[in-house]
Amino acid sequence: MRLSCLVLSASLGAAATIPRQADNACANPAKRVEWRSLGADVQKQYIDAVLCLKTKPSGMGLNTTRYDDFPYVHTHLDKTIHTVAMFLPWHRLFVQVYEDSLRDCGYTGPMAYWDWTLDADDPTKAPVWDAITGFGGNGDPTISNMEDNKKCLVDGPLKGFQVAYTMKGYEPHCLARNWNNGIEYPGDMLADFYNKKAVDEVTVLDNYKDFRYKLEGGPHGAIHSAVGGDKLPATSPNDPIFFLHHAQIDRLWTLWQMEKPETRTTDFGGPKTQNHTNPGEATLDDIMPYLNLVPDIKVSEVMNTQTSKLCYSY
């Protein structure tokens, strides 16, 4: 999704709260880690599990693979889950479901995130792009930058990786990337929107509405735009880097929550819909849809990562 498309409604107000409930069933939460801290053997096992998902049948009864379930759901719920209050909790569970699917394909290591603040000086050299220990780099340099969705990967384990969907529907194609800063290719890949200074300007905010607004419209949107190709539209889960990116988004939210857990694990509110005239006010009782990827669930059930539903930390 383009950064310019992520200008959010400025209607910010008081957040909804409900009493926080303890959960004693998460005594030993799994710890998620940054991609570059994984050993090469674990990185390979992770990517092998991604490739395995492309060999498994859809869990939703589609005529595509288990991997393709994720872009399918994300695309069909695009206007329900973006620029609205449930953006963060919806994607929190989405990433967890993906992690569970990787485990069904034999992955035994920790779920990984990509901390792009560490790479903001030169995002093109981020370890996640390594052709051996990462997800491969940019798309084909011989293809015009104006043909964003045709710049297939030319190296790494995802070279030749076929994904099923575009915004038009079922259109099998190669995974594409087109690094850019909106003017240059690759330029600085919009690094000023997700460097440490930019993230600090988000995490200093003291209420969920402001925090979600700034995080979604700033660092989150900038990475989608800067990577380009399949990472740009709502079919962005076509690119496996999506899940490391959103694990980082979830990490920033989780760390923010843990600064004041008694209040921030129930701090939630903002626009319920993208209807600018009457968006409605979101509440913790709102139901998050997943189109049978997993059962629909209340926002309140995923507000705390250290419960039996999720049970992980950063």
Side-chain angles (χ1 to χ4, degrees):
M1 58 196 69
R2 297 186 186 279
L3 186 65
S4 61
C5 293
L6 287 170
V7 178
L8 312 176
S9 165
S11 175
L12 305 173
T17 61
I18 62 172
R20 188 164 69 101
Q21 297 181 350
D23 188 328
N24 296 322
C26 181
N28 189 27
K31 189 172 182 63
R32 293 181 172 181
V33 301
E34 214 282 335
W35 177 257
R36 73 199 77 204
S37 72
L38 296 175
D41 56 337
V42 181
Q43 291 171 329
K44 182 179 185 304
Q45 188 190 62
Y46 182 104
I47 292 171
D48 284 348
V50 173
L51 297 174
C52 164
L53 290 177
K54 284 294 295 179
T55 71
K56 301 293 185 183
S58 166
M60 301 168 56
L62 303 175
N63 291 323
T64 46
T65 71
R66 179 59 173 166
Y67 187 88
D68 298 308
D69 286 348
F70 292 90
Y72 178 91
V73 169
H74 191 265
T75 304
H76 282 77
L77 292 173
D78 179 24
K79 297 186 186 307
T80 302
I81 60 176
H82 296 113
T83 67
V84 294
M86 75 166 61
F87 167 75
L88 289 174
W90 190 93
H91 284 84
R92 170 174 281 177
L93 183 58
F94 191 61
V95 172
Q96 179 64 50
V97 176
Y98 182 77
E99 178 186 350
D100 293 342
S101 296
L102 292 178
R103 301 208 181 284
D104 291 341
C105 267
Y107 182 61
T108 59
M111 183 60 190
Y113 59 87
W114 171 29
D115 183 356
W116 9 260
T117 67
L118 302 176
D119 302 307
D121 286 345
D122 187 354
T124 67
K125 291 184 169 55
V128 294
W129 308 131
D130 191 272
I132 298 174
T133 61
F135 297 81
N138 201 9
D140 189 343
T142 67
I143 302 298
S144 167
N145 289 319
M146 297 302 102
E147 295 187 278
D148 189 75
N149 62 347
K150 295 183 179 179
K151 293 179 72 70
C152 302
L153 303 195
V154 295
D155 66 6
L158 300 180
K159 179 182 177 181
F161 190 71
Q162 291 287 307
V163 290
Y165 297 107
T166 70
M167 294 300 290
K168 296 178 182 178
Y170 179 70
E171 288 188 329
H173 62 284
C174 64
L175 178 62
R177 294 189 188 126
N178 190 17
W179 297 347
N180 72 95
N181 69 358
I183 301 173
E184 302 170 302
Y185 300 84
D188 64 0
M189 291 183 69
L190 299 170
D192 285 348
F193 289 94
Y194 52 86
N195 60 20
K196 186 178 184 302
K197 179 177 180 291
V199 169
D200 287 346
E201 290 173 356
V202 175
T203 57
V204 73
L205 299 169
D206 197 40
N207 67 81
Y208 177 84
K209 288 185 179 182
D210 291 347
F211 178 85
R212 190 277 310 167
Y213 176 97
K214 189 81 169 178
L215 181 60
E216 184 180 2
H220 162 260
I223 289 289
H224 278 278
S225 295
V227 175
D230 275 291
K231 190 74 163 66
L232 186 61
T235 48
S236 50
N238 278 340
D239 193 335
I241 207 69
F242 171 98
F243 296 96
L244 277 73
H245 170 46
H246 270 274
Q248 164 72 349
I249 294 295
D250 182 66
R251 171 178 173 262
L252 295 176
W253 181 31
T254 302
L255 296 178
W256 180 83
Q257 288 183 305
M258 291 301 101
E259 289 178 1
K260 298 179 181 179
E262 292 299 326
T263 56
R264 288 183 177 175
T265 52
T266 56
D267 185 358
F268 180 75
K272 186 172 183 175
T273 70
Q274 289 188 6
N275 185 326
H276 296 298
T277 304
N278 184 25
E281 180 65 20
T283 75
L284 288 164
D285 287 327
D286 288 344
I287 302 296
M288 300 191 297
Y290 287 91
L291 302 183
N292 295 317
L293 180 70
V294 288
D296 297 348
I297 189 173
K298 285 185 179 181
V299 170
S300 61
E301 295 183 66
V302 296
M303 287 295 290
N304 189 340
T305 66
Q306 296 190 37
T307 66
S308 57
K309 176 66 69 176
L310 299 171
C311 201
Y312 66 81
S313 64
Y314 289 97

